[in-house]
Amino acid sequence: MSDADLYPRVPARLVLLSLAALWACYFIVASLRGAVMGFDLDWPILSRRLTICIVSMLIMAAVWPLLQLLDRKSGGVRFAIVLIGALPLSLALSIVNDVIFADIEVSAYGSEADAAAVKAGNVRISRDEAGNILVDLPKVPLPPAPPGPLSTGSGTGDETDAAGDAGARDDLPETPAAPREGTGSSAITINTGSALGQDLGRWAAIADTAFGRYFLVLAWVALYFALAKAEEARAAERREGEYRRAAEAAELRSLRYQVNPHFLFNTLNSLSALVMVGRQDDAEEMIQTLSTFYRRSLSGDPTNDLSLVDEIDMQRLYFAIEAVRFPNRLLTHIDIDEAVLDAKVPGMILQPLVENSVKYAVAATQRPVTIAIEARREGGQLVIAVHDDGPGERESGPRLKTEGCGIGLANVRDRLRARYGEAAKITFGSRPEGGFATILRMPLELGHA
């Protein structure tokens, strides 16, 4: 089993795609929000917002390896660490936003001092329904007007003061001055506040942005852990599949190993009978054939499939062994369609069926008995029939569950089920014309496919 199945990880490609999707959605929503509120979708704004999204995505991608360390932590530990760890990350994202938009704010307000004043809250900027920019200025207490120069003349005092004021205004240098109450001067002085106030206003704006980024970070972390859970579920499914295949292989191996001892037990009994009646040559021939049979049957993995032609060759060897016991009673007939010679079947799947025919048909009567093996294709299935023309009595009914020293039909049925599931089927019973037949149906799997 691979390490990926034991310790599943979210693929890097999926992590980057999730981040790209998150910030793409943020870019679209923020741009649409600005358009709805009446702000123009100018390229300087959009380009900087796009830059913020790209830089923020890279910063969050750099945090991904730290999230991997939490994959195998409990839910409570994850929750606590994420809630705390998201704070500095959201603050960093907010600072990125502030730095990238700093020059836009200065150019919009005319100078760094004006931008700082807006951030500090001394000036409030809004728009009216027509789209005009409205600037609300703070009320600044005005100092008392300095006394004007004395004037001599025949006019009244008011006239003298007014003339003196006019002369004084004409002589003053053209510098901005705080407007006095009751005058029509258009000069405006904006109180930008102290440096401390500007810094506090700037950090207040950064904190406000960080608040929004905080929940954005939490949303992505939740998405990441959901992806991690999905990877764990897929890994669990793969492990379950491997365990299931291993169990099926173990069951197949166990059922397959049941065949060889059963066959060997019967063959040794036959050899003993040959030796006892003095048929040493026949016994020697049986031993040689038996050796070839086992060399071929044990050479490969017992759970592997064989081609049908190889399986038929194995049965020919078995017929040769039993022909030594029943030289005049055992007749064979093999009819295999050429289209299925290369079809794959479980190894020695026919052995119990042929052995049953020898045991219950040939050995049970004194007349010649023909055992036939036929195979053909029906649609997408391989159909194999083993039948004989013997007495017709066979292990069936309760005997399938309480077989004596034989395994027969129950073994074949279990092996087909373990190998093909519900796709394979076995049917058996007495033939109307006499004898017994067993028919196997299984998916057709050609070796060259």
Side-chain angles (χ1 to χ4, degrees):
M1 188 174 297
S2 63
D3 292 340
D5 290 333
L6 293 176
Y7 307 105
R9 298 286 192 184
V10 180
R13 177 182 58 83
L14 196 56
V15 173
L16 295 179
L17 283 177
S18 66
L19 284 172
L22 176 73
W23 286 103
C25 290
Y26 169 82
F27 177 84
I28 294 172
V29 171
S31 300
L32 292 178
R33 175 177 175 272
V36 170
M37 294 181 65
F39 296 105
D40 296 332
L41 298 178
D42 296 329
W43 173 244
I45 298 293
L46 295 179
S47 62
R48 283 163 175 78
R49 184 174 294 136
L50 181 61
T51 303
I52 288 173
C53 291
I54 295 175
V55 173
S56 299
M57 184 183 73
L58 295 177
I59 292 175
M60 292 176 68
V63 178
W64 168 49
L66 299 179
L67 287 179
Q68 288 183 314
L69 300 178
L70 303 178
D71 284 350
R72 288 182 290 279
K73 300 293 184 180
S74 64
V77 173
R78 286 183 183 179
F79 184 75
I81 293 178
V82 168
L83 285 182
I84 297 174
L87 292 173
L89 179 58
S90 59
L91 182 61
L93 298 178
S94 180
I95 292 175
V96 168
N97 184 87
D98 181 77
V99 170
I100 293 178
F101 267 116
D103 61 331
I104 286 291
E105 292 173 349
V106 170
S107 63
Y109 302 131
S111 67
E112 293 185 3
D114 293 343
V118 173
K119 291 181 180 180
N122 296 319
V123 177
R124 186 170 63 88
I125 297 179
S126 61
R127 287 177 179 264
D128 60 12
E129 296 180 356
N132 300 316
I133 298 178
L134 304 178
V135 181
D136 295 336
L137 301 177
K139 293 183 178 181
V140 181
L142 300 178
L150 294 177
S151 149
T152 60
S154 59
T156 63
D158 292 339
E159 293 173 350
T160 301
D161 291 339
D165 289 345
R169 283 197 298 272
D170 291 339
D171 294 336
L172 287 174
E174 296 181 1
T175 56
R180 291 178 298 172
E181 294 182 3
T183 67
S185 173
S186 61
I188 298 175
T189 300
I190 298 177
N191 179 18
T192 60
S194 64
L196 178 60
Q198 296 175 16
D199 290 340
L200 291 177
R202 176 170 177 266
W203 282 106
I206 291 176
D208 182 66
T209 304
F211 183 76
R213 295 292 191 272
Y214 180 75
F215 289 98
L216 200 63
V217 170
L218 292 182
W220 177 73
V221 172
L223 175 61
Y224 169 79
F225 285 131
L227 294 174
K229 282 295 182 183
E231 288 296 322
E232 291 178 5
R234 281 191 287 270
E237 290 178 359
R238 289 193 295 269
R239 289 196 299 268
E240 182 183 359
E242 291 183 5
Y243 294 149
R244 186 185 301 111
R245 287 190 293 271
E248 291 173 354
E251 183 179 6
L252 283 171
R253 188 175 290 107
S254 174
L255 293 170
R256 170 66 174 78
Y257 283 146
Q258 288 180 2
V259 176
N260 283 336
H262 177 267
F263 167 68
L264 181 60
F265 174 78
N266 289 341
T267 305
L268 291 177
N269 283 340
S270 299
L271 283 172
S272 175
L274 291 175
V275 172
M276 290 178 64
V277 297
R279 297 172 58 184
Q280 285 80 7
D281 292 341
D282 292 337
E284 182 178 355
E285 180 182 353
M286 180 180 285
I287 291 173
Q288 294 296 330
T289 308
L290 180 64
S291 175
T292 303
F293 180 90
Y294 269 100
R295 183 170 62 250
R296 296 181 61 176
S297 65
L298 298 178
S299 60
D301 188 340
T303 63
N304 289 344
D305 294 340
L306 295 178
S307 63
L308 182 57
V309 63
D310 291 337
E311 176 69 14
I312 296 299
D313 288 342
M314 294 288 293
Q315 301 314 309
R316 292 184 192 275
L317 288 174
Y318 176 74
F319 283 140
I321 294 172
E322 294 296 348
V324 176
R325 294 174 57 198
F326 310 107
N328 300 319
R329 280 188 283 167
L330 176 59
L331 305 177
T332 61
H333 173 73
I334 298 177
D335 182 15
I336 307 298
D337 186 354
E338 293 184 358
V340 298
L341 285 176
D342 200 34
K344 294 297 183 180
V345 297
M348 295 188 71
I349 192 68
L350 302 180
Q351 177 63 38
L353 305 181
V354 174
E355 197 169 340
N356 274 351
S357 291
V358 172
K359 177 179 179 180
Y360 292 101
V362 179
T365 184
Q366 297 299 316
R367 64 177 177 84
V369 173
T370 300
I371 300 176
I373 301 177
E374 300 172 352
R376 65 187 184 277
R377 176 175 185 169
E378 288 186 1
Q381 284 193 319
L382 171 65
V383 180
I384 305 176
V386 177
H387 58 83
D388 60 70
D389 56 1
E393 298 180 359
R394 198 62 46 91
E395 54 178 351
S396 59
R399 291 198 55 147
L400 281 175
K401 299 180 180 179
T402 58
E403 303 174 63
C405 59
I407 52 174
L409 297 174
N411 178 275
V412 175
R413 178 196 59 199
D414 293 341
R415 291 182 65 194
L416 289 176
R417 176 187 51 78
R419 173 64 178 81
Y420 300 107
E422 298 298 326
K425 184 179 180 182
I426 178 174
T427 56
F428 53 85
S430 300
R431 303 170 65 200
E433 62 272 27
F436 194 88
T438 304
I439 300 176
L440 309 181
R441 298 178 183 272
M442 64 192 77
L444 179 60
E445 299 176 358
L446 297 177
H448 56 77

